[in-house]
Amino acid sequence: MGDSETARQAAAPDLRGNASALPREALEISAGYAFAGPALNLGALLWDGQCLPDAQIRIPLPMLNRHGLVAGATGTGKTKTLQLIAEQLSAQGVPVFLADVKGDLSGVSAPGTGDDRVRGRAAEVHQQWTPAGFPAEFFALGGMGHGIPVRATVTSFGPVLLSKVLGLNQTQEQSLGLIFHYADTKGLELFDLKDLRAVVAFLTSDEGKAELKQIGGLSTATAGVILRSLTAFEAQGMADFFGEPEFATGDFLRTAADGRGIVSVLELPAVQDRPQLFSTFLMWLLADLFHDLPEIGDVDKPKLVFFFDEAHLLFDGASKAFLDSITQTVRLIRSKGVGVFFVTQTAKDVPSDVLGQLGNRVQHALRAFTPDDQKALKATVKTFPNSAYDLEELLTTLGTGEAVVTVLSEQGAPTPVAATRLRAPESLMGPVDGAALDRAVQGSALYGRYAQAVDRESAYEKLTAERERPRPQQAQARAERGRAPEAEPTLVEQVVGSGMFKSLARSVGTQLGREITRSLFGTARRRR
C-alpha cells in the first residue's frame, strides 16, 4: 500500500454494511463520531458485549491539539494505542514525539508482522491492515542508550526544573533561583554542572558573600545542600545530560521527503530507574517548544503531537508553583499548534486543573482489587461525561486493546462515551534490535550536529582563571612609598572590573550581558 493510500484510509471512515441496522443506543453513539473532515480511526464500537464494525470511533485531526489522556492499568494496551495514533498522525503529515520508557516503541519504524492475532483483530473492526513502517528518529538523554544525544544547558534548564531533579525543598529552590539570577546578570554562562558548582562555591567564599547581601544572601547550610545534591547527581552519571550542543526542540517538527510526519522516539530504558530525571527533562522539552513557537491559533492539523509517558512522575511531589506552570503551559501551547497527551495509569494521577485541559480521552481497563483501586475507579468514572454505559463495571471488564473513548467533535463538543475495540498498529509491535537502531541513529542528518559534546569557556573557566590570576602588587608599592596599604580588591571586584569581563558584556549584548530572560519554570528563552 502506498503512502497516499495510508493517508486516505486515515482521513476517511472505514465503514461496511448498513449502519442504520445498529441498535438505537449504538446508532446514537456512532453518530457522534461521523466527522466530515480528516480524522484518526481508533476502532469499532463495543455495545452489549458485541463489536459493531459499522460504527467506527474516530478523532478529528484538528482536535489533536486540544490535548488528551491515555490511561489504564499495566498490560491493557496503552503502548499500542500510542503506536496506533502515532502511525496515523505521521501518515497525515503530523510530526510526533514519543517517550519510550520501556524500549518497545522503536518498532514504529519497521513494518509489522501479520500473525493470526493481528489479522483477527483487523477483521473484527473492518480494518484494511497492511504492514508499514514510518519515518523515525531516535534520541537518548545525554547519549545514554541508542539514540542521538539530547542535552540541555543548565542555564536553559532553569532553577525550578533543576530543583525538582535534585530533590530540593522550596527554600533551597529559592536559593538556587538566586544563584541563577546572579549568574544571569553577571554573564556567567552555566553550560554544565561544573559551571553551577563553581558559581555556588564562589558565592559562599569570603570574596563572594558580599555579592548577594543586597538581594537576600545565601546561607552556607543551603549552599552545602545544593553542592552535595550536585555531587550525588554527578556520581550517578547524570552530568552528561547537561552541556552543549544543546538540543533544538524545533528538530521535532520535521516531515520526511514523502510528506509523512517524522516520529521522534526518545529512548529511555537506560534511565528508567531515574524517573524524576526523565520526566522533568520531558517537561523541559515541552517548555522549550512553548518558548520558541509562534502563536498560530486553531489549525487544520497540529504542528506536533507530544506524548508524555509516565506522566504521574511529573506531578509526584510537585509544588503548587510547579503545577501552576504545567497548567499554564498546557493551556497556552494549544494555540501554538502542539497537542499534548499524558500517558499514565489513572485519571487521578493528573491534577484536576491539568485534566480539565484535556479534550480527548482513551481509557483502558482499570483494576479494582484493593480499596485504593476501587476508590481510583470511582474517581475515574466521575471524570467522564454522562454515559449510556455502566462505566464502573465496564472499566473493569475491558479486554487488552479495548478502551473507553470520548473526544472533541469538529465543533469542539465532547462526543458520546464509546467503548471501543481498537485497531492493530501496522508497524512492528515490539522493539527493533540494537544494531538496527545504531545504524538508524548514525545515518541521521542530526547525528553530526549533536553526537559530540563540546565544552566552551563558561562560568567554571572564567572563575578559575580569575582565581589563579596574580594579585596586583599595589600593597607592596604603596608600602615602599610610606603609604598605608589599601585593601586588596576582592575576587568579585577583579572579575567584574577585568577587561575580560567587560569584553564579555560587550560581546554578548544586552540580553546576556545584563540578564537572561526567563519564562515558565524559570527556563531561559533560547537566543537564535
Side-chain angles (χ1 to χ4, degrees):
M1 184 186 301
D3 297 331
S4 60
E5 177 65 13
T6 302
R8 183 195 65 76
Q9 287 189 16
D14 186 9
L15 301 179
R16 302 181 185 181
N18 184 4
S20 63
L22 295 172
R24 179 182 59 81
E25 297 90 341
L27 189 60
E28 292 175 355
I29 295 173
S30 178
Y33 293 87
F35 309 125
L40 277 60
N41 296 318
L42 292 180
L45 182 69
L46 289 171
W47 181 259
D48 198 22
Q50 300 296 314
C51 181
L52 306 175
D54 292 336
Q56 292 288 306
I57 305 304
R58 313 168 72 222
I59 303 179
L61 185 62
M63 292 295 111
L64 267 294
N65 72 331
R66 300 297 183 92
H67 312 315
L69 175 73
V70 178
T74 301
T76 55
K78 296 191 299 295
T79 300
K80 301 303 177 285
T81 297
L82 304 190
Q83 195 167 342
L84 173 67
I85 295 175
E87 290 177 353
Q88 296 188 55
L89 286 168
S90 174
Q92 298 197 58
V94 178
V96 179
F97 173 88
L98 296 174
D100 188 8
V101 178
K102 296 186 291 291
D104 52 4
L105 281 171
S106 58
V108 73
S109 63
T113 303
D115 55 23
D116 291 342
R117 185 175 180 181
V118 168
R119 285 191 290 267
R121 173 57 61 92
E124 288 174 342
V125 300
H126 286 180
Q127 175 187 4
Q128 297 177 10
W129 189 90
T130 302
F134 294 81
E137 293 273 17
F138 301 97
F139 302 91
L141 288 184
M144 289 186 65
H146 301 279
I148 299 164
V150 173
R151 304 180 188 89
T153 64
V154 172
T155 283
S156 176
F157 205 71
V160 178
L161 293 176
L162 187 59
S163 294
K164 186 166 176 57
V165 169
L166 296 177
L168 303 182
N169 63 29
Q170 184 176 356
T171 299
Q172 294 154 1
E173 178 184 318
Q174 292 170 348
S175 295
L176 187 60
L178 195 65
I179 294 165
F180 271 77
H181 173 71
Y182 175 80
D184 291 349
T185 56
K186 298 301 183 184
L188 295 171
E189 303 96 331
L190 306 177
F191 290 153
D192 50 31
L193 293 180
K194 73 177 185 299
D195 290 326
L196 178 59
R197 198 168 55 244
V199 172
V200 177
F202 168 68
L203 290 175
T204 55
S205 67
D206 292 339
E207 295 88 351
K209 288 179 182 178
E211 285 294 289
L212 289 180
K213 283 184 178 179
Q214 294 182 349
I215 52 175
L218 177 67
S219 75
T220 303
T222 299
V225 171
I226 294 173
L227 286 172
R228 287 193 296 273
S229 298
L230 287 170
T231 300
F233 190 69
E234 290 180 286
Q236 297 172 29
M238 303 293 103
D240 290 341
F241 301 136
F242 294 98
E244 291 190 306
E246 183 173 68
F247 185 75
T249 50
D251 286 331
F252 291 146
L253 308 177
R254 296 181 302 131
T255 55
D258 59 7
R260 291 184 295 171
I262 291 178
V263 181
S264 298
V265 183
L266 183 64
E267 295 287 326
L268 295 172
V271 293
Q272 62 180 313
D273 59 337
R274 302 172 180 93
Q276 291 285 4
L277 172 70
F278 72 70
S279 64
T280 310
F281 249 90
L282 293 181
M283 196 65 238
W284 172 75
L285 294 173
L286 198 57
D288 194 69
L289 283 166
F290 175 80
H291 293 165
D292 280 7
L293 294 177
E295 294 278 344
I296 58 175
D298 291 328
V299 290
D300 293 337
K301 63 182 181 182
K303 296 182 68 172
L304 174 73
V305 176
F306 190 105
F307 287 92
F308 205 122
D309 204 359
E310 300 291 346
H312 66 282
L313 299 171
L314 180 68
F315 304 113
D316 285 350
S319 66
K320 183 180 184 303
F322 191 88
L323 293 177
D324 288 345
S325 295
I326 295 173
T327 303
Q328 187 175 1
T329 301
V330 173
R331 179 183 296 119
L332 298 178
I333 204 170
R334 176 186 70 81
S335 64
K336 300 191 175 192
V338 177
V340 183
F341 274 70
F342 292 98
V343 185
T344 188
Q345 294 207 358
T346 70
K348 75 179 185 65
D349 293 335
V350 181
S352 57
D353 286 345
V354 177
L355 192 64
Q357 305 296 320
L358 311 183
N360 305 297
R361 297 276 302 276
V362 181
Q363 175 69 60
H364 288 266
L366 293 174
R367 309 303 180 212
F369 299 139
T370 69
D372 286 344
D373 291 342
Q374 293 168 1
K375 184 178 179 180
L377 173 63
K378 291 180 183 295
T380 298
V381 169
K382 291 179 180 178
T383 63
F384 279 94
N386 292 334
S387 169
Y389 297 93
D390 180 348
L391 288 179
E392 195 166 331
E393 178 182 356
L394 177 63
L395 287 174
T396 60
T397 58
L398 289 170
T400 301
E402 297 176 349
V404 171
V405 174
T406 180
V407 302
L408 291 180
S409 71
E410 292 168 311
Q411 291 73 41
T415 59
V417 175
T420 306
R421 183 159 292 164
L422 298 167
R423 291 180 168 221
E426 294 184 337
S427 55
L428 181 66
M429 289 189 281
V432 299
D433 67 80
L437 270 182
D438 288 338
R439 287 193 297 271
V441 169
Q442 293 171 15
S444 169
L446 299 179
Y447 184 74
R449 189 185 310 171
Y450 297 114
Q452 186 63 46
V454 296
D455 188 10
R456 291 193 295 152
E457 183 184 59
S458 48
Y460 172 81
E461 287 79 12
K462 291 172 183 176
L463 290 174
T464 299
E466 289 300 322
R467 186 168 56 249
E468 295 174 352
R469 191 188 192 93
R471 295 221 178 227
Q473 302 300 316
Q474 296 176 353
Q476 180 179 352
R478 286 174 181 142
E480 292 174 351
R481 292 194 300 267
R483 299 176 184 176
E486 296 180 5
E488 295 181 2
T490 68
L491 180 57
V492 171
E493 291 170 340
Q494 293 180 48
V495 171
V496 177
S498 70
M500 177 192 69
F501 189 93
K502 293 176 181 177
S503 174
L504 169 70
R506 286 193 299 270
S507 66
V508 298
T510 57
Q511 281 193 8
L512 181 58
R514 294 179 183 170
E515 185 169 3
I516 291 174
T517 302
R518 295 188 177 274
S519 186
L520 295 175
F521 299 103
T523 50
R525 292 185 181 275
R526 197 184 291 269
R527 291 166 296 280
R528 303 300 184 194

